[in-house]
Amino acid sequence: MNRIDFIKNSLAAAGAIVAGSAIPAIAAERTVLKDSSALAGKTFNLDYAPHQGTFKQNAGDNFLDQIRFMHDQGFRSIEDNGYLKRSTDEQTKIGELLAKLGMRMGVFVVDGGDNWKTSLTTGKKEFKDKFVETCKLSIEAAKRCNAKWLTVVPGFYERKLPYGNQFANVVDAMRAGAELFEPHGLIMVLETLSDTPELFLQQTHETYAVCKAVRSPSCKILYDIYHMQKTEGQLMVNMDRCWEEIAYIQIGDNPGRKEPTTGEINYKNLFKHIYEKGYKGVMGMEHGNSKPGKEGELRVIQAYRECDNFLS
């Protein structure tokens, strides 16, 4: 599932209506709500960030209301991949509400339309110029919500060029972006993905090498746990190997890309490991809900309460 499909599917799932008998669903919802209510409003040990649609059934369609609901449940950050494509008015309102609630903006995506095709690896001026232009727009958008991290995807392989040339082309483009972001204290986080073998960055060590070559505090790694479980495994080992370049983390269980506790990843142990390493950044909840409706949304909160309970 690529990022575009993920956003579409997660929004669709958030709007789904629970089918079947109402009595068992209501009873289950009340059980989860009871378990969650005692901790509602209590902040988590790590800074988990939901996205638009995660709690739509409980909070309503309005994104600002969803953010208020997130805050009431103890979350102190959000993610908004498509923030750059929102109107200036929407961006400003989101930023003002986050400031009022004392919440942080996680990543939004720096995407001028070239992320999901062969682009920066080619070294062609047209792609680099478009990337630089999008970085400039992202700086202005980031100011409206006090954002710090911005997702960057360098695109696909250029199969007509040797790997070394492609690597150099990507590094050149990332340096251009970093030069723009550094004066503003912004950090572009390069995401390593598993969606297609055509992606230039697929394993953590590859992204680590790019960051080391760029040598800028504004060029770091976005470590997406779901993707890295699929492409390389050994999550703790690979995180430790590249820890000095990791500036942002995203969450999703595998298989299925749903909330923690639904797949094979031991998130309670992993969260403890990340916490003990002193991580203070945002943990983006870039996944769907395993169950539909209000019950499914409350189950997401409960899953995070369970996995965040690693200090006892």
Side-chain angles (χ1 to χ4, degrees):
M1 182 187 294
N2 64 36
R3 182 182 302 281
I4 295 172
D5 290 337
F6 164 74
I7 294 172
K8 290 179 180 178
N9 291 344
S10 61
L11 290 175
I17 299 175
V18 181
S21 173
I23 296 176
I26 293 172
E29 179 181 325
R30 286 176 177 171
T31 300
V32 177
L33 181 59
K34 181 180 179 181
D35 291 340
S36 300
S37 61
L39 293 172
K42 182 181 184 297
T43 56
F44 295 83
N45 292 310
L46 291 170
D47 192 4
Y48 310 110
H51 55 84
Q52 183 175 14
T54 303
F55 303 119
K56 178 180 177 180
Q57 296 299 319
N58 281 279
D61 293 333
N62 186 281
F63 188 28
L64 298 181
D65 289 338
Q66 293 177 33
I67 293 173
R68 294 184 185 97
F69 180 84
M70 296 169 191
H71 182 271
D72 290 344
Q73 296 303 314
F75 296 101
R76 291 297 179 265
S77 289
I78 69 164
E79 272 194 343
D80 190 14
N81 283 332
Y83 177 82
L84 187 60
K85 292 181 171 59
R86 293 185 185 274
S87 68
T88 299
D89 182 59
E90 284 184 299
Q91 293 176 356
T92 301
K93 287 180 178 179
I94 291 170
E96 289 175 348
L97 180 58
L98 292 177
K100 179 180 178 181
L101 296 175
M103 297 178 70
R104 291 195 287 182
M105 171 64 85
V107 291
F108 65 86
V109 182
V110 178
D111 187 3
D114 296 332
N115 289 8
W116 293 92
K117 65 183 183 182
T118 303
S119 54
L120 295 178
T121 53
T122 66
K124 292 181 179 178
K125 185 176 183 298
E126 62 192 85
F127 293 119
K128 182 179 176 181
D129 287 348
K130 186 65 176 292
F131 175 66
V132 168
E133 176 188 342
T134 309
C135 287
K136 291 177 179 177
L137 292 174
S138 298
I139 291 170
E140 296 307 309
K143 292 177 182 177
R144 300 185 187 107
C145 64
N146 197 31
K148 181 177 180 179
W149 304 276
L150 306 94
T151 303
V152 169
V153 178
F156 294 179
Y157 283 107
E158 171 50 86
R159 300 294 183 179
K160 298 177 182 178
L161 288 177
Y163 177 83
N165 293 84
Q166 296 179 71
F167 183 88
N169 292 336
V170 169
V171 168
D172 180 62
M174 294 305 102
R175 282 179 177 161
E179 288 175 1
L180 290 171
F181 290 138
E182 273 193 45
H184 302 278
L186 298 175
I187 303 172
M188 60 178 176
V189 284
L190 312 189
E191 185 167 13
T192 317
L193 297 162
S194 65
D195 299 283
T196 167
E198 290 304 310
L199 284 156
F200 183 71
L201 296 178
Q202 297 182 49
Q203 295 198 11
T204 312
H205 68 88
E206 297 168 338
T207 313
Y208 179 84
V210 172
C211 292
K212 284 297 184 183
V214 174
R215 299 181 66 180
S216 168
S218 288
C219 183
K220 296 294 180 180
I221 296 172
L222 189 168
Y223 188 91
D224 187 307
I225 296 168
Y226 162 77
H227 286 294
M228 293 306 92
Q229 174 69 358
K230 290 178 65 180
T231 60
E232 62 187 22
Q234 294 200 99
L235 298 172
M236 293 183 186
V237 171
N238 285 312
M239 288 178 78
D240 288 351
R241 284 173 177 162
C242 301
W243 186 255
E244 64 188 299
E245 297 296 333
I246 294 175
Y248 198 93
I249 296 172
Q250 287 182 325
I251 302 162
D253 216 336
N254 182 62
R257 200 175 189 179
K258 306 301 182 182
E259 72 269 16
T261 73
T262 58
E264 64 190 358
I265 301 173
N266 188 333
Y267 263 105
K268 187 172 184 178
N269 279 355
L270 191 57
F271 285 166
K272 181 180 181 181
H273 183 73
I274 292 168
Y275 178 86
E276 290 178 344
K277 292 188 75 67
Y279 183 75
K280 302 297 183 184
V282 173
M283 303 278 287
M285 296 163 56
E286 198 182 44
H287 56 74
N289 300 351
S290 62
K291 297 180 180 179
K294 291 184 177 180
E295 175 192 352
E297 294 176 0
L298 295 175
R299 177 55 203 157
V300 169
I301 298 171
Q302 184 66 16
Y304 276 89
R305 290 295 179 191
E306 292 170 9
C307 293
D308 190 68
N309 186 28
F310 50 73
L311 296 180
S312 59

